[in-house]
Every structure is written in C-alpha cells, then in structure tokens.
Amino acid sequence: MDMGQDSYPISEEMEVNIQKLFQCFHSSDDVRSRAFTLHGVKGSLLYLTTITDSTRLQKEILGPLLQAGEGRLEDILPILDIGVVSDLKSAAAAMLQGSCAILLEHRLDIILVDASARVVPSVGEPQNEQIIRGSQVGFVDDVAINAQLVHQRLKNVNLVERHFTLGSESPTHVKLLYMCDVADMNVVDDIIANLLANQDTFIKSPGQITNRLENSHLSPFPQLLFTERPDSTVSHLMEGRVALLVDGSSFATILPVTFFMFFQAADDFNVRWWNGTFFRLLRLLSVMIGIALPSVYIAIVSNHFDVLPIDLVFSLKASLENIPFNPFMEAIFMTTVLELLREAAIRLPKSIASTLSIVGGLVIGSEVVNANLVSTAMIVVISLTAVASFSIPSHEMRLAIRLISLPIMIASSLLGFVGIAFSFSLLFMHLSKLETFGVPYFYPFMPFKPRRILTTLVQLPKRIFGGKASDRRAS
C-alpha cells in the first residue's frame, strides 16, 4: 500500500474518499463497499472480504445502521471498541487488520469498527515438551489466545501486558508480559527499547524479532528460552522473568535466562523431589557426555592408551585393527551421518520419518562396521553421545552442545587430554563472562552463590528450603 505521501487527508466528498481508499489497495477485488443512508445522510461501508466476518458486518454494523433512530453514529453501533481517524492512510491500515471503515458525506473523519474474521485454532498438546503428569495444553499460533492461556493460569493484578506492532509492510503483533512486583524494570525497559528499535518493514518469522534480543550473537549458547507450555511460562513470570508472545509463533520467549534453566523440565515439579533431583542431575551429566565423550575417546585412542586397563586395550586394538582412518575422521564421519539422518527425519512426513530413523540407523550402522570404515567402539561412543543430547529438554541447547563438541574433538586429536583441558577452560571462561540483559549467564557459579547452587542442582521440598519468588529470581 503506497500512495506516495506521508499523509492522506479526508475530503468532504465521500465518493472521493472511497475512490482514494480503493486506490490504496490498487483496486483489489477483495475490497468491497456497501452504501446506506443514516438520518438522510449518505454513507458507505468499506471492508476487505478476506479478513472480515460477513455475519458480524450484517448483524452488528449494517443492521443497526439501517434501523437507527436519532443519535450519533458512535452511539448506534452495539460495539465496545470504536475508533475514529482523520486520514485515509490510518483507515487503510485498520482495514488490513479486519476493521470496517464507515464513511459519511460531509464528515471529515472515518469511523473504524472491528469486524475481523478470526480463525480460532484448537488448543492441543505440546509437541516438543511432553510430560507424563501435569497440564497437556500448549500454545497456538494466535498471540491473543496465547495471552489468554497465560491469564487463565495467572489471575494476578500485578501481571502487566504491553502491546507492540512491528513491521510497517506486514504488521506483526507482539505482547510483552511480566509481573510488575517481581520483575526487574531495568530489564523490561531494555527489552521494550530493543523492540521499539526494530525498523524492519517486513517480519519474515518470529525469529527475526527474538534474535535481536540476544546480547552476544557470536556465542554458541542460546540466550533465550523457548517454551510452548503456558504453565511453564507462568512459572517463569512468577520468578521475575519476562515472557514475549509473537503472533504466528506457538512458543513463548523467556528472558533473561541462565545456563541451568535449559535443563529443567515441567515434569521435575510433578514428581517427588528426589526423583526430580535425580533427573535434573542426569540431564547435567548428559551435557558432559554430549560434549566430552567423543573427545575423550579420540584422545585415549590417539595419545593415551596407557590410561586404560590392559584387557580393554586389547579389545580396542582388535576393533581398530582394519580401520584405515584415524579416530577423529571416524567421529566426524559418524557425526555427519547422524546429523543427516536427524535432519531427514525432521523434513520428511511423519509416516516415513520413523521408518527412515530405524532402518537408516540399523543399516548404516551395521554396514559401515562390516566395510571397516568405522570401529564398533566408535559406533557405541557416537550412539551414547546422541542419546545423551536427546535427554536435554531445550532444542536450542541440544544444537549448541553438538556444535561445541566439534572443536573439542579437534583439540583432543591434536593435543590429547591437554587439548580437552584447554578447551574446557575456554568454555568456562566464556560462560563466566556471558550475560543476558545484565544477568550472569552462569549464575549461580559466577558470581559464586553457594546457597543458590544447592537449589539449582537439587530440587529440595519447600518446607526444607523455601523462599519467596523474589528470592528465586535469576538476577
């Protein structure tokens, strides 16, 4: 929509205004008008057939106008939200959102009434955060419904909601939710300033908005937590964090975040505390396995056979006897094959993906061993690494772990255990320096908070180690 000007004033001639509005939409076939007479004054309704509800137009707008007695036009319509604009550009923008424009002869403004046709998606189960016990309701692609799901679970007067519209060519609605009594208002102000600084004219995807909120774009670690569960979103809000809902996304973006938040699952709080603690520690162990297991195997086979018991040395030597490649090349080959299978399983239809995953894994795994391309020990190592990465709840953290393991494998093949130690030193230095909106990413280890370390790693009952929501914040 472009008329070549910044302002489009309204004329006293209604037909001129109608013609200009049609020109705004380049005389598109879905722009319709309906003439009527109100108190002896000619009027017209303008609307887009593709995004307005014809039933609402007839019952709530056109019907009352045709049957109106005395009174102002704004008082005749049985609708709560009625807008008035004084230029054609604003009227055209409102029509794109589903509003109906009401024009009257000799009137220098346009009445806007919401008549949008809403496609209400059914609220289904979360696909990526499934749990055994607890709520089975997940977010959908409609930002209004997602906000409603949060409000249904958090009936609190301190819950504040801010609305933003980003993208001038195709407006995208964004809602920012936070608890004004526990959230850090400096963080909220920084997020709002970041959103308002977005000058993109077209929002291709929700990631175009959320990616701008990351403090360090060079870090491999995710600095935003995505959840498709309203109950998890409410929990984060009550702990002082901010939730961002974007139209067209079935995920809520939580910020600021810390490293250990990515290893908590909703199931942890639906089971007994010692079960939740065990599974949380198991996930943290899986991180170490995903990062270090291939590197440790490469270092041992390449440089440090002497650390193994003699029986295990003979077993490994037998499996490596006819392999023409070094352990690093084996690991790269198997990791690439695994990533290809994973990517193919995601892109293919579900009915085919499950077959591909099973058949592909069995056939490729057995045949590469028979062809003496990869040792059986390497198959076991890569399989354990893949299983460990699958146990991490956050998809973004899983990707980061797989990415980080590659340079550590290179260091281990060149320098052995020294390379692994050096790599982990750099890794912990980076985690200690990283921040998200002023919150230390590696909290509570940096800065060191012994009391918070206990509650981060161990899920103790509240009667043993309770506290207010403000004491559990990540800041």
Side-chain angles (χ1 to χ4, degrees):
M1 182 186 67
D2 185 8
M3 294 180 63
Q5 303 179 36
D6 293 331
S7 179
Y8 317 116
I10 297 176
S11 171
E12 291 187 359
E13 299 293 332
M14 184 185 66
E15 293 298 331
V16 174
N17 295 329
I18 294 175
Q19 183 179 3
K20 288 184 177 180
L21 278 175
F22 270 95
Q23 291 176 357
C24 286
F25 298 97
H26 305 283
S27 300
S28 177
D29 290 338
D30 63 337
V31 183
R32 303 288 177 84
S33 64
R34 169 63 160 85
F36 66 92
T37 302
L38 178 67
H39 305 152
V41 179
K42 293 182 179 180
S44 180
L45 301 179
L46 262 73
Y47 58 94
L48 298 174
T49 59
T50 51
I51 57 175
T52 52
D53 189 340
S54 59
T55 303
R56 292 182 62 185
L57 279 171
Q58 294 178 5
K59 291 185 178 181
E60 300 178 8
I61 301 176
L62 184 58
L65 288 176
L66 296 178
Q67 301 171 6
E70 296 296 326
R72 297 188 312 149
L73 187 149
E74 292 88 340
D75 299 330
I76 294 171
L77 300 176
I79 296 176
L80 279 176
D81 192 9
I82 297 177
V84 180
V85 296
S86 57
D87 66 282
L88 297 174
K89 181 180 179 181
S90 300
M95 290 174 62
L96 286 172
Q97 301 298 321
S99 293
C100 169
I102 304 177
L103 294 82
L104 292 175
E105 190 75 42
H106 306 303
R107 182 162 175 167
L108 295 177
D109 56 17
I110 295 176
I111 307 298
L112 297 174
V113 181
D114 181 32
S116 58
R118 299 184 63 86
V119 179
V120 181
S122 58
V123 178
E125 297 184 9
Q127 299 298 316
N128 301 302
E129 297 178 77
Q130 298 180 2
I131 62 174
I132 298 174
R133 294 171 53 191
S135 174
Q136 301 296 329
V137 175
F139 285 131
V140 295
D141 289 346
D142 192 306
V143 67
I145 295 178
N146 293 341
Q148 184 179 1
L149 291 174
V150 173
H151 281 277
Q152 286 177 351
R153 286 162 176 77
L154 186 54
K155 299 177 176 65
N156 194 310
V157 295
N158 293 317
L159 178 59
V160 179
E161 182 177 307
R162 303 295 185 200
H163 298 187
F164 303 93
T165 302
L166 306 180
S168 57
E169 293 295 330
S170 180
T172 300
H173 298 289
V174 177
K175 292 181 182 288
L176 189 71
L177 283 74
Y178 60 92
M179 298 293 293
C180 63
D181 57 334
V182 293
D184 188 340
M185 295 310 299
N186 292 325
V187 173
V188 174
D189 293 340
D190 288 344
I191 296 172
I192 292 176
N194 193 303
L195 291 174
L196 295 178
N198 192 323
Q199 300 296 326
D200 296 327
T201 58
F202 177 69
I203 306 298
K204 300 177 182 178
S205 65
Q208 190 173 340
I209 298 174
T210 56
N211 290 342
R212 293 172 53 92
L213 299 174
E214 291 189 342
N215 288 67
S216 175
H217 295 283
L218 298 178
S219 174
F221 291 99
Q223 297 153 59
L224 304 172
L225 178 63
F226 298 94
T227 177
E228 56 181 344
R229 301 187 59 85
D231 54 347
S232 296
T233 304
V234 169
S235 176
H236 289 299
L237 289 172
M238 291 301 296
E239 292 179 356
R241 301 182 185 93
V242 180
L244 192 70
L245 303 175
V246 182
D247 201 14
S249 173
S250 58
F251 288 84
T253 305
I254 307 298
L255 60 165
V257 297
T258 61
F259 178 77
F260 296 99
M261 286 173 53
F262 293 92
F263 307 100
Q264 299 179 2
D267 258 341
D268 294 349
F269 306 95
N270 294 323
V271 296
R272 300 193 64 187
W273 69 270
W274 45 271
N275 287 330
T277 299
F278 171 74
F279 291 120
R280 186 177 299 178
L281 294 176
L282 192 63
R283 295 188 200 104
L284 293 174
L285 177 62
S286 69
V287 176
M288 298 304 299
I289 294 175
I291 294 177
L293 183 59
S295 303
V296 170
Y297 175 80
I298 292 172
I300 290 175
V301 174
S302 301
N303 303 292
H304 304 285
F305 252 123
D306 51 329
V307 302
L308 297 177
I310 190 65
D311 294 336
L312 188 54
V313 170
F314 290 146
S315 177
L316 281 178
K317 284 291 186 181
S319 66
L320 295 170
E321 186 175 355
N322 298 317
I323 305 300
F325 306 110
N326 59 46
F328 174 70
M329 295 302 298
E330 289 183 74
I332 292 296
F333 174 74
M334 285 308 303
T335 302
T336 304
V337 171
L338 182 64
E339 294 299 329
L340 288 174
L341 286 173
R342 195 194 327 256
E343 187 70 13
I346 294 174
R347 306 305 166 196
L348 286 174
K350 291 183 178 180
S351 58
I352 306 176
S354 57
T355 305
L356 172 71
S357 301
I358 297 173
V359 176
L362 292 176
V363 172
I364 295 176
S366 61
E367 292 305 318
V368 294
V369 173
N370 294 335
N372 291 328
L373 295 176
V374 177
S375 65
T376 55
M378 181 59 74
I379 295 290
V380 173
V381 168
I382 296 300
S383 300
L384 287 176
T385 304
V387 172
S389 68
F390 291 152
S391 66
I392 300 174
S394 170
H395 174 68
E396 289 73 24
M397 184 58 74
R398 287 198 297 267
L399 295 177
I401 295 303
R402 297 204 295 268
L403 181 64
I404 292 168
S405 65
L406 294 177
I408 299 180
M409 283 192 290
I410 297 175
S412 66
S413 66
L414 297 175
L415 302 174
F417 287 155
V418 176
I420 296 177
F422 180 72
S423 300
F424 271 89
S425 299
L426 293 178
L427 190 62
F428 286 123
M429 288 172 58
H430 173 69
L431 286 172
S432 300
K433 293 179 61 177
L434 191 61
E435 291 185 351
T436 58
F437 289 96
V439 176
Y441 191 73
F442 209 44
Y443 180 88
F445 287 93
M446 181 59 67
F448 187 68
K449 301 288 185 181
R451 182 174 179 269
R452 289 295 295 129
I453 290 176
L454 182 63
T455 57
T456 299
L457 301 179
V458 180
Q459 185 182 318
L460 292 174
K462 281 191 176 182
R463 63 176 179 270
I464 297 178
F465 198 86
K468 297 181 181 180
S470 58
D471 297 331
R472 299 194 298 272
R473 286 186 292 176
S475 55

